[in-house]
């Protein structure tokens, strides 16, 4: 008797049963490949609270006495009124849930008779990569738009450090400084460390502590700016160990994105698709999509956008602890015996297979559908500082030889 080929019903049963495994693979891909996944605390937004939620943040208490020379009196004379009265205050923000719905590639079981497993795994891989990109882009967009402090790297010869700085402690939705584009320069480590000191001393931004490393801030940027830091004077020797893997932040509960450092209180993470712009409008960058559609033999494929590759400006992020919390709805914390981290929840991933009287009357097609639902609770929006800088020409160091054809 000949072997039975896979039927649409079997294909549907396999795909439906496999949804949890794919969900786990997506979570693993996020943790391994996302520089933004472990910089925000996660949590659950209780069901039935409100469409728009108020977040009340406790500010630092204001001293009623001098913090330069606090006044003390002799204890024997303390039978009198209180010397000073301290005051406290709160700041209020609002936030709400947002949802993105989409579906994965359509799979035709007729075309997968001979190689169902291979075609299914390719569709799964495509879905994992796309959701990882969506997750990165979503967190990064939140940090960019809602941050309380922003910085533009300006030419130090004609501008002071404060000229490129906007925002303040517990501010939110701050814009970049409206500066002359010609004054924007390339970010260097000296300026980055000055910004980190400002965050620590003026903004009182908390530092991360990952267990194996000392307290530090995190910088996320494109490969060119990270490499420029490595090559910078007085930095290259120390960072040589980093590139060889000598110092790395310990793996977190979900394998963890690898961070280089810390170096002088800053660790470094690589954004494979950093935010880039070619023009500015009133000081605000007009960002370029990193991909464009290109017609291929069958359908339209994604290609890197040449305008993004050549863009003049880029944004990196200096990040401290407790800037925002990423919350997922209470109902998304697990299904049955399958539990996953609230921060990595991608919503409900289901296999859709429905026989109808129209396009799928024979049950040939099916696809995965997914829903991403999350809210971002502002805690200390000034703990993340987007940095706008210019992308200068890369110096290859290649020179023309005086003679050729000889090894002597």
């Amino acid at each position: 008797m000949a072997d039975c080929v896979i039927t649409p019903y079997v294909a549907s049963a396999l795909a439906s049963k496999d949804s949890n495994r794919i969900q786990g693979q997506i979570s693993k891909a996020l943790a391994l490949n996302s520089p933004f996944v472990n910089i925000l605390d996660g949590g659950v937004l209780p069901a039935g609270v409100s469409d728009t939620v108020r977040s009340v943040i406790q500010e630092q208490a204001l001293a009623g006495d001098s913090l330069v020379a606090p006044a003390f009196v002799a204890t024997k004379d303390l039978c009198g009124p209180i010397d000073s009265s301290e005051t406290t205050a709160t700041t209020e923000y609002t936030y709400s849930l947002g949802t993105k719905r989409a579906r994965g590639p359509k799979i035709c079981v007729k075309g997968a008779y001979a190689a169902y497993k291979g075609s299914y795994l390719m569709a799964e891989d495509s879905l994992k990569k796309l959701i990882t990109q969506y997750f990165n882009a979503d967190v990064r967009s939140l940090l960019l738009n809602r941050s309380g402090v922003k910085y533009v790297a300006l030419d130090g010869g004609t501008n002071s450090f404060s000229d490129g700085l906007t925002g303040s402690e517990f501010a939110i939705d701050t814009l970049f400084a409206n500066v002359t584009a010609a004054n924007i320069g390339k970010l260097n480590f000296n300026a980055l460390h000055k910004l980190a000191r400002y965050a620590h001393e003026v903004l009182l931004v908390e530092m991360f502590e990952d267990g194996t490393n000392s307290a530090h801030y995190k910088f996320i940027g494109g490969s060119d700016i990270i490499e420029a830091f490595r090559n910078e004077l007085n930095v290259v020797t120390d960072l040589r160990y980093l590139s060889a893997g000598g110092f790395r932040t310990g793996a977190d509960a979900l394998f963890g994105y690898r961070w280089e450092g810390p170096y002088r209180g800053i660790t470094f993470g690589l954004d494979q698709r950093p935010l880039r712009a070619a023009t500015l409008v009133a000081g605000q960058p007009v960002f370029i999509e990193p991909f464009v559609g290109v017609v291929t033999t069958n359908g339209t494929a994604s290609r890197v956008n040449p305008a993004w590759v050549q863009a003049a400006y880029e944004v990196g992020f200096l990040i401290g602890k407790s800037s925002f919390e990423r919350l997922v709805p209470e109902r998304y914390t697990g299904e049955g015996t399958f539990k996953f981290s609230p921060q990595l929840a991608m919503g409900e991933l289901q296999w859709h297979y429905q026989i109808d009287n129209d396009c799928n009357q024979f049950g040939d097609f099916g696809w995965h559908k997914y829903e991403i639902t999350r809210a971002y609770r502002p805690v200390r929006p000034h703990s993340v500082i987007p940095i706008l800088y210019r992308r200068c020409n890369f110096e290859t160091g290649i020179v023309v030889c005086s003679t050729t054809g000889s090894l002597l």
Side-chain angles (χ1 to χ4, degrees), residues 365-399:
F365 298 102
W367 58 81
H368 275 98
K369 57 184 180 182
Y370 65 91
E371 183 176 278
I372 303 174
T373 300
R374 84 293 178 270
Y376 291 104
R377 175 177 176 259
V379 181
R380 290 178 173 81
H382 59 277
S383 292
V384 55
I385 306 177
I387 307 170
L388 176 64
Y389 50 87
R390 186 179 296 275
R391 300 178 64 229
C392 298
N393 290 332
F394 178 74
E395 296 293 338
T396 64
I398 297 174
V399 296

Side-chain angles (χ1 to χ4, degrees), residues 245-319:
F247 298 92
R248 285 176 179 169
T249 299
D252 62 10
L254 284 170
F255 307 103
Y257 180 86
R258 291 177 176 175
W259 293 85
E260 293 185 348
Y263 178 78
R264 292 172 61 185
I266 303 176
T267 60
F268 303 91
L270 181 63
D271 186 357
Q272 193 174 8
R273 292 286 181 267
L275 293 170
R276 291 178 179 173
T279 58
L280 306 177
V281 176
Q284 311 313 305
V286 180
F287 293 108
I288 300 171
E289 289 294 331
F291 296 102
V292 293
V294 175
V295 177
T296 62
T297 305
N298 296 298
T300 303
S302 174
R303 295 287 188 273
V304 175
N305 188 348
W308 178 85
V309 175
Q310 300 296 329
Y313 306 101
E314 187 172 283
V315 172
F317 296 84
L318 181 66
I319 304 169

